[in-house]
Amino acid sequence: MQIKTKLLHTVVLLFFSTSLFISCTDDSTVTDNNKPTESEQGIIQISKDGFTESNSAPLLADNEPDEVLFNQKMRSLRINQPLQIEINEQQELYFKYYGPRKTTDLTVWGQIIGYDEEFKLAHFDEIPPFTEFHQKLPATEASKVYQTRSGKKIRIEKNPYLSAADLKISVECNDKFYKQVTEMPYNVRVEFSAYSGSGSWAYKILPAHCRESIAFIMNMGWMFSQERTKDTLNAYSFYANNDPSSLIPKQTILDRTMRKNGTLVLGHTSGVNGLGGGNTYGVAEWQFVSHYADDSADSHTFFHEYGHCMGYGHDGNMTYGDSKGFTEVCRRLYTEMSRNKELPVYSRRFLGTRKNGKLYGSEKYLSSRYVIEDPELDAIDGGLVGRKLGELSDPTKGTPLSLTIDYTKIPGATEATFTPKDVCASGNRVYVLNDASVNGTTHFSVEVFSEADGKLTHLKSLKEWSFRGATQTFIGTPKGIACDGERLFVNNINSRTDVFDARSLEFITAIGTGNWGDGGTQTVHAYETVAAGGFVFIKDKKKVNIYDANDLTPDAYTRVSRFAQTERLSEADVVYGADIDSKGWLYTTYAPGKKIYTYNVSSILESSILPPAGTALSLTKTPVDVVCFNSRVLVAQNSAPRLIEIDPANGTTVKDYSSVYAFKNLEKMSVARATLFAVDRGNKIVIAIPLTQFN
């Protein structure tokens, strides 16, 4: 069989004593046996999923060593040249891509020195943000066929000595982001430094800061490159001293913003918002993450320090000043361009640094000042939609228990040293929280029991633990305990919730700093925890704080960021209770108003503030705890009747269960393995009652 195709013939070109055999084409009739096979195709073709551990690595990764990060030859760029590409000494196509956004449909063209036409050397369907790539040139290992720009096919014969001296390369890409950045005239060089490592430079710049600094400087450079920005700056008067009549020439301002062929050496400051001047450009961590419109829309320190880098001090309106000063004019324009999706990197969602970057302590979740929606962003983070509550365990499953726990069940305990405060159970474990105090001496503990055949065996009195080489204890009076099967949570009045492995009882982390406050890593005391569906709900003095269970790591110790929260109620230092029903409704008691508030937590939006659902459930007595099972709601009250069932729709009493057990002072309860576990503070006991008693 014969087909019409192009016949390859060989041409020999000599460079630097290296022979390259190039074949080009003429039209002719050849047999199938002479056609180039697929294995002969030389193009490096990388698909969207083609970046693997063997050919690529993250650039400016969180674990990047200082000797790389602060090596200007290894980590630096011209801000309008995010792709640094070459043929390296290892005969590889090698590049570093510093783009904070992906780039799509990028072609690399090669040209043999002495041969007129370029040929397609490589094509990348998509290049991920901050990627380092390398791949051996195929023609160094076997003869390969390439297509030229005119459509001809050429064969480069195997040449193990092929090098950068033999090839010129160029890049072609019509990706919107890539063109936006590479076509702007702003060409500042960006480098990174740890500076002195002391004083205001005590905490070095981290890779996450470096990634964000590139995003900001790209944005700033693009902004300064626009005629609209020049017109805006020309509409204001700027001066370098305290005399507004002594103005800086407008062209001087415009020229200095562009910083032609200049350099900025990025660093991280602590104790001060920023330091700048000449090439020095440092800001605090909060500024690295907050400059986007859909963060806190605060870029003023970046522009303040840039004013110093432009050569101006504090004695004019180039760094300080009112709404007509340089810093504020630039901040407003930057935010507007971010909101309008004009900037190259217009949203914090591209990098997700708060959530994904290794930082010193910035809040992981922060409400957006402005919401920016976009399909490309949705593809990155799943979209601005609520995260659904995960699967909930069924507390009615399992073998019910009928037993009582008092001080006699605990080795070494006395009636005075054991005062049960709260109780929870999971699997064959029962955990009892003890807040006893005798003549000023505390006996705080978690008493851990193992159950078999309806009988309990005391396993441990958890009173202290080791973390980071130090011994810790409960830092305040314990208030609540909960278990999600994997983790054990212990709340205490000193605004902290300690988290342990439920089986090994090893300490994992702490939620809350130990100092009360409204910050994203703080609670206002801590009274109660509900852990379910991949979330942790901690009731404090004002509100319910909601956390993502995935954030409970040792590295996040006392810095676990609040994912969302409920609306605040008035403060009261009382007993609080909470639980979640099978439909994803959170019930919380509010003793001062004799109410129970309900919240729909079946889907939770990051950084949201959840209002109560409808009208609060009003009771005639003061509620102190609540438990849910089988669409039923039991409530503990601080006066008789101590235990009732209410209608979850309106809070009216369905039944009084005083006859089930004569509680003297019922406080905290929980439901697990078809059993109601309840603390009778008056009798200083924990009682387990099968749920069949409540039929």
Side-chain angles (χ1 to χ4, degrees):
M1 176 181 177
Q2 291 184 326
I3 61 171
K4 190 73 173 179
T5 184
K6 295 183 176 181
L7 180 65
L8 299 172
H9 64 272
T10 300
V11 179
V12 180
L13 302 173
L14 301 177
F15 323 101
F16 307 103
S17 302
T18 300
S19 296
L20 292 180
F21 292 86
I22 313 293
S23 300
C24 43
T25 64
D26 284 333
D27 286 336
S28 184
T29 300
V30 297
T31 66
D32 284 341
N33 293 333
N34 291 329
K35 286 181 59 180
T37 65
E38 183 175 346
S39 63
E40 290 182 296
Q41 302 299 324
I43 185 172
I44 297 172
Q45 183 74 49
I46 304 297
S47 66
K48 175 182 177 181
D49 302 319
F51 291 88
T52 65
E53 291 184 0
S54 64
N55 66 13
S56 61
L59 189 67
L60 297 177
D62 285 330
N63 61 352
E64 194 142 280
D66 290 356
E67 54 267 28
V68 174
L69 185 64
F70 301 128
N71 185 324
Q72 297 171 4
K73 292 183 179 179
M74 299 180 71
R75 295 293 181 262
S76 63
L77 73 150
R78 289 283 175 193
I79 205 67
N80 62 350
Q81 299 171 24
L83 183 69
Q84 299 173 354
I85 187 165
E86 64 178 358
I87 305 298
N88 65 17
E89 294 179 356
Q90 288 74 42
Q91 299 172 296
E92 298 171 318
L93 179 65
Y94 171 78
F95 69 68
K96 289 181 283 189
Y97 176 60
Y98 286 94
R101 290 175 61 178
K102 68 180 181 182
T103 283
T104 59
D105 194 20
L106 185 141
T107 301
V108 182
W109 294 93
Q111 185 176 11
I112 300 293
I113 306 299
Y115 186 73
D116 291 340
E117 262 204 288
E118 291 181 308
F119 59 92
K120 191 176 290 188
L121 182 64
H123 182 267
F124 299 87
D125 292 345
E126 181 178 301
I127 301 176
F130 294 108
T131 297
E132 192 169 11
F133 172 86
H134 62 93
Q135 184 157 320
K136 196 79 169 178
L137 292 174
T140 63
E141 299 175 333
S143 298
K144 295 294 179 180
V145 174
Y146 297 87
Q147 183 172 310
T148 69
R149 280 192 180 271
S150 66
K152 295 179 181 178
K153 287 185 170 59
I154 61 172
R155 176 180 281 116
I156 298 180
E157 302 297 332
K158 176 182 177 181
N159 184 351
Y161 306 105
L162 188 63
S163 71
D166 305 317
L167 284 172
K168 290 194 304 182
I169 57 175
S170 62
V171 171
E172 184 176 52
C173 182
N174 290 316
D175 179 86
K176 180 181 177 181
F177 164 73
Y178 188 84
K179 289 172 67 67
Q180 188 177 17
V181 172
T182 57
E183 292 178 1
M184 69 181 182
Y186 190 85
N187 68 346
V188 162
R189 180 179 176 84
V190 174
E191 300 171 358
F192 311 104
S193 175
Y195 285 100
S196 66
S198 61
S200 297
W201 302 106
Y203 295 91
K204 66 188 179 184
I205 193 170
L206 299 174
H209 304 146
C210 297
R211 299 192 297 268
E212 282 293 352
S213 71
I214 290 172
F216 175 80
I217 295 170
M218 278 183 178
N219 288 343
M220 179 175 66
W222 185 88
M223 185 181 87
F224 284 145
S225 300
Q226 305 308 301
E227 289 300 319
R228 173 185 169 192
T229 304
K230 297 173 186 177
D231 292 342
T232 300
L233 293 177
N234 277 330
Y236 291 87
S237 296
F238 302 108
Y239 47 92
N241 55 51
N242 290 323
D243 180 8
S245 65
S246 178
L247 302 179
I248 304 170
K250 298 292 180 66
Q251 192 57 48
T252 299
I253 299 293
L254 299 180
D255 289 344
R256 291 187 178 184
T257 61
M258 294 301 290
R259 204 174 175 83
K260 190 70 173 176
N261 294 316
T263 298
L264 292 173
V265 183
L266 272 294
H268 171 267
T269 61
S270 55
V272 294
N273 285 335
L275 291 169
N279 293 340
T280 300
Y281 197 35
V283 296
E285 180 172 274
W286 68 267
Q287 181 67 118
F288 282 114
V289 296
S290 67
H291 58 93
Y292 302 99
D294 60 353
D295 199 88
S296 59
D298 191 348
S299 56
H300 80 270
T301 298
F302 263 132
F303 288 113
H304 175 100
E305 302 308 333
Y306 197 74
H308 288 317
C309 293
M310 291 167 64
Y312 301 105
H314 288 163
D315 54 354
N317 70 348
M318 283 298 297
T319 53
Y320 286 123
D322 56 17
S323 62
K324 297 180 181 180
F326 176 81
T327 295
E328 183 59 19
V329 170
C330 289
R331 186 202 65 79
R332 288 199 306 269
L333 189 58
Y334 185 92
T335 297
E336 182 182 342
M337 289 181 169
S338 177
R339 289 184 66 187
N340 294 335
K341 300 193 285 190
E342 298 174 69
L343 297 177
V345 192
Y346 51 81
S347 169
R348 68 176 179 180
R349 296 168 62 193
F350 283 114
L351 292 180
T353 299
R354 283 189 182 274
K355 291 190 287 185
N356 304 319
K358 182 179 180 181
L359 299 169
Y360 284 121
S362 291
E363 295 181 15
K364 187 171 184 177
Y365 309 104
L366 188 76
S367 297
S368 297
R369 181 156 184 196
Y370 304 101
V371 175
I372 298 175
E373 297 193 63
D374 187 276
E376 184 177 350
L377 298 175
D378 293 345
I380 294 171
D381 61 14
L384 293 172
V385 296
R387 212 182 58 137
K388 294 185 180 301
L389 199 67
E391 183 179 356
L392 299 174
S393 61
D394 185 351
T396 67
K397 300 296 184 182
T399 304
L401 296 177
S402 181
L403 50 82
T404 299
I405 301 172
D406 61 13
Y407 76 93
T408 63
K409 303 293 196 302
I410 304 166
T414 67
E415 186 175 3
T417 62
F418 179 68
T419 304
K421 176 62 178 177
D422 200 359
V423 59
C424 65
S426 177
N428 70 334
R429 292 279 181 94
V430 178
Y431 308 88
V432 179
L433 185 61
N434 172 32
D435 70 348
S437 180
V438 182
N439 297 324
T441 299
T442 61
H443 297 271
F444 304 156
S445 66
V446 175
E447 302 300 332
V448 185
F449 298 88
S450 175
E451 179 272 334
D453 298 325
K455 296 181 179 181
L456 293 184
T457 300
H458 185 266
L459 295 180
K460 183 173 183 175
S461 293
L462 178 59
K463 299 179 180 180
E464 62 180 30
W465 56 90
S466 178
F467 183 66
R468 295 178 176 171
T471 299
Q472 293 189 353
T473 60
F474 299 111
I475 64 172
T477 304
K479 292 292 184 178
I481 192 169
C483 183
D484 65 358
E486 297 180 19
R487 291 162 289 245
L488 184 70
F489 302 85
V490 181
N491 308 108
N492 72 66
I493 196 64
N494 282 11
S495 304
R496 174 169 149 169
T497 299
D498 295 310
V499 186
F500 303 87
D501 184 289
R503 304 307 294 180
S504 69
L505 302 178
E506 293 181 355
F507 184 79
I508 298 174
T509 195
I511 304 171
T513 62
N515 296 302
W516 67 269
D518 293 318
T521 58
Q522 293 179 291
T523 59
V524 183
H525 311 304
Y527 293 92
E528 172 82 338
T529 293
V530 177
F535 286 101
V536 177
F537 304 84
I538 296 179
K539 178 69 178 77
D540 72 11
K541 200 174 183 181
K542 295 181 178 180
K543 60 191 177 300
V544 178
N545 303 275
I546 305 171
Y547 303 90
D548 185 334
N550 294 319
D551 294 335
L552 304 181
T553 64
D555 286 344
Y557 173 72
T558 71
R559 297 189 298 105
V560 180
S561 292
R562 183 172 55 228
F563 184 86
Q565 60 186 304
T566 63
E567 284 185 353
R568 297 177 182 178
L569 302 173
S570 58
E571 298 183 39
D573 188 8
V574 295
V575 179
Y576 290 100
D579 202 5
I580 289 180
D581 70 11
S582 59
K583 297 179 181 179
W585 286 87
L586 175 69
Y587 292 72
T588 65
T589 63
Y590 183 63
K594 298 180 181 178
K595 297 180 184 297
I596 293 176
Y597 287 93
T598 59
Y599 303 86
N600 184 358
V601 295
S602 59
S603 182
I604 306 172
L605 183 64
E606 176 186 319
S607 301
S608 61
I609 299 177
L610 281 66
T615 305
L617 306 178
S618 295
L619 283 72
T620 58
K621 302 294 179 67
T622 300
V624 292
D625 203 359
V626 57
V627 292
C628 307
F629 62 95
N630 287 346
S631 300
R632 299 171 65 187
V633 179
L634 299 186
V635 178
Q637 302 186 131
N638 72 344
S639 60
R642 294 286 182 175
L643 182 60
I644 63 172
E645 180 176 351
I646 65 169
D647 185 331
N650 53 36
T652 58
T653 300
V654 174
K655 189 171 182 179
D656 175 356
Y657 286 106
S658 299
S659 61
V660 173
Y661 182 84
F663 291 102
K664 185 176 181 180
N665 181 14
L666 174 61
E667 268 200 9
K668 305 301 284 294
M669 308 181 297
S670 65
V671 176
R673 54 177 299 175
T675 303
L676 174 72
F677 295 87
V679 173
D680 187 344
R681 293 276 283 180
N683 290 316
K684 299 180 72 170
I685 63 170
V686 174
I687 184 167
I689 307 172
L691 291 185
T692 54
Q693 296 294 308
F694 302 98
N695 290 336

